[in-house]
């Protein structure tokens, strides 16, 4: 089913190359690795996964699909944001492809924000090695119980000025870090102005992960195997120089929102690739398997289930494409991003569930990747803002409430509106 006519010629070409890369180079290796599941411990498998990503990176470069979103001056393909959907979707068909092409979270979102908000020195020190795959990164915002979760304004981590340095104290968890193992640096959001309006007064800092006072408490055990860790971290009197501030002072939430807006959409794109591959797997199973006299692919009720999946995936693509274009053309698309994120997360979760069902026992078994997809996809209705947090924002637009208060005007004008 080809519904890609709205994508630019370039986007289609890179998406075709990506599809060939994934089918010919990644999927055979993915089976090899997942096939050893019984023999390897989680840690062994994660290490092997990282080694595979490293090997595949060279192949991705040879096949001209490495870093589609990365500017050409940094060694990527320099594609426009509005063109990324078909490419990221193809990459999203395998977690190893995402790592190999360097389009996986959190590095992908961190590259984006370093490029947009970083100083030239920050770009040389952090962005360039990150792009080259020499280092990995994390984005540290969510905090344990008494701190910020869905409500970003509740940030408890503080950064206080002491001479030429900032001293960061706080407790974070769910800081994801990429396929290269432990992160080399972290983007940490901390409160820098206690007296300011809740939407103001936090700033983002780049912190070297081996700085004194950065304590990795644990890698949080979790559902699904995404090939990356999610850390609980204590920042205990971590001293960073003034130049480590990323973006404007007291504009940390705006920096975070800027990062998250695009990152939410690229998450949708990658997960839609997982849903699309699930449909392919389910259809192949249905074509082969028969019951009660004919193939499963001839059972009308199952055909409708597959049709429903394709239809909703098409609708999700249309929403994400529209939101991506809006961001590219206007600089922000809060409402469109929230709508796309909720719809895409529900859609991919339902599609993977349907595909597990039509594959019967093999949907549950791990010879097929569907069971892994099922575990992986569940987090998408929570990460990057839970459904309800986005529905809350959509409702604010729908009811046209929350006028900008006079004391917020200056902030909103300077940093963009991070409130929704
Ligand atoms: C796999 C994974 C990776 C992550 N990576 C990162 C990362 O790299 N960096 C980072 O900083 N964070 C990360 N997070 C954290 C993630 O951003 C948060 O889990 C998410 O924002 C929700 O916050 P919370 O978990 O604190 O949920 P809470 O704020 O405790 O909310 C719990 C639930 O309450 C409901 N709820 C919330 N608000 C409302 C409302 N207004 N009305 C009705 N119901 C509501 C929702 O169902 C929500 O799921 C990650 C999380 C996961 C699971």
């Amino acid at each position: 089913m080809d519904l890609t006519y709205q994508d630019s010629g370039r986007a289609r070409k890179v998406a075709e190359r990506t599809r060939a890369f994934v089918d010919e180079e990644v999927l055979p290796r993915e089976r090899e690795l997942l096939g050893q599941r019984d023999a390897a411990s989680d840690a062994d498998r994660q290490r092997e996964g990282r080694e595979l990503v490293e090997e595949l990176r060279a192949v991705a470069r040879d096949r001209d699909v490495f870093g589609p979103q990365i500017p050409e001056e940094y060694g990527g393909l320099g594609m426009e944001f509005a063109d990324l959907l078909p490419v990221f979707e193809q990459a999203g068909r395998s977690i190893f492809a995402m790592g190999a092409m360097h389009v996986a979270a959190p590095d992908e979102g961190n590259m984006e924000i370093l490029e947009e908000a970083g100083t030239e020195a920050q770009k040389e020190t952090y962005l360039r090695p990150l792009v080259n795959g020499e280092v990995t990164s994390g984005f540290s915002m969510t905090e344990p119980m008494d701190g910020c979760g869905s409500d970003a304004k509740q940030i408890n981590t503080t950064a206080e000025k002491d001479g030429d340095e900032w001293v960061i104290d706080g407790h974070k968890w769910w800081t994801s870090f990429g396929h290269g193992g432990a992160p080399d640096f972290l983007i940490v959001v901390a409160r820098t102005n206690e007296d300011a309006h809740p939407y103001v007064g936090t700033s983002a800092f780049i912190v070297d992960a081996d700085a004194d006072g950065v304590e990795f408490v644990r890698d949080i055990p979790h559902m699904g195997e995404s090939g990356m860790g999610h850390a609980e971290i204590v920042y205990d009197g971590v001293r960073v120089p003034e130049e480590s501030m990323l973006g404007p002072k007291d504009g940390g939430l705006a920096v975070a929102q800027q990062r998250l807006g695009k990152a939410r959409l690229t998450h949708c794109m990658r997960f839609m690739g997982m849903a699309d591959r699930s449909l392919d797997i389910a259809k192949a199973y249905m074509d082969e398997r028969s019951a009660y006299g004919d193939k499963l692919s001839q059972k009308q009720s199952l055909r409708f289930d597959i049709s429903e999946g394709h239809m909703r995936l098409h609708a999700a693509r249309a929403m994400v494409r529209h939101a991506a274009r809006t961001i590219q053309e206007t600089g922000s698309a809060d409402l469109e991003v929230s709508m796309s994120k909720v719809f895409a997360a529900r859609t991919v979760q339902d599609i993977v569930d349907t595909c597990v069902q039509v594959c019967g026992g093999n949907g549950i078994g791990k010879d097929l990747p569907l069971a892994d997809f099922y575990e992986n996809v569940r987090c998408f209705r929570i990460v990057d803002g839970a459904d309800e947090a986005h529905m809350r924002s959509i409702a604010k637009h729908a009811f046209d409430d929350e006028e900008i208060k006079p004391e917020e005007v200056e902030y909103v004008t300077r940093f963009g509106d991070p409130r929704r």
Side-chain angles (χ1 to χ4, degrees), residues 196-222:
H197 186 276
Y199 296 120
V200 198
T202 60
S203 305
F205 295 90
I206 306 176
V207 177
D208 290 329
D210 62 0
D212 285 346
V214 179
E215 294 166 15
F216 282 83
V217 179
R218 63 179 177 140
D219 195 357
I220 303 172
H222 61 96

Side-chain angles (χ1 to χ4, degrees), residues 139-142 149-150 173-176 230 379 382-386 388-389 392:
F139 184 78
S140 213
M141 183 153 151
T142 308
S150 296
W173 65 8
W174 289 109
T175 298
S176 303
H230 308 284
C379 76
I382 294 172
V383 290
D384 286 352
E388 293 82 355
R392 176 181 168 275

Side-chain angles (χ1 to χ4, degrees), residues 106-107 110 113-114 122 126 130 135-141 168 172-178 181-190 203-211 213-216 229-235 238 240 244-246 259:
D107 285 345
N110 291 339
I113 198 62
L114 280 165
Q122 288 169 340
Y126 295 100
L130 185 59
V135 300
T136 62
S137 62
F139 184 78
S140 213
M141 183 153 151
I168 303 174
K172 302 280 189 184
W173 65 8
W174 289 109
T175 298
S176 303
F177 50 94
D184 295 280
F185 70 90
L186 300 143
I187 297 173
V188 183
V189 185
S203 305
F205 295 90
I206 306 176
V207 177
D208 290 329
D210 62 0
V214 179
E215 294 166 15
F216 282 83
H230 308 284
E232 180 175 350
I233 305 174
V234 168
Y235 298 89
V238 180
V240 291
S244 65
M245 188 177 282
L246 180 61
R259 176 193 182 278

Side-chain angles (χ1 to χ4, degrees), residues 21 26 52-53 56-58 60 66-67 95-103:
F21 167 67
V26 182
L52 176 58
V53 165
L56 289 171
R57 277 209 171 154
F66 181 81
I95 57 166
F96 300 112
M98 293 188 272
M101 290 171 61
H102 217 352
V103 299

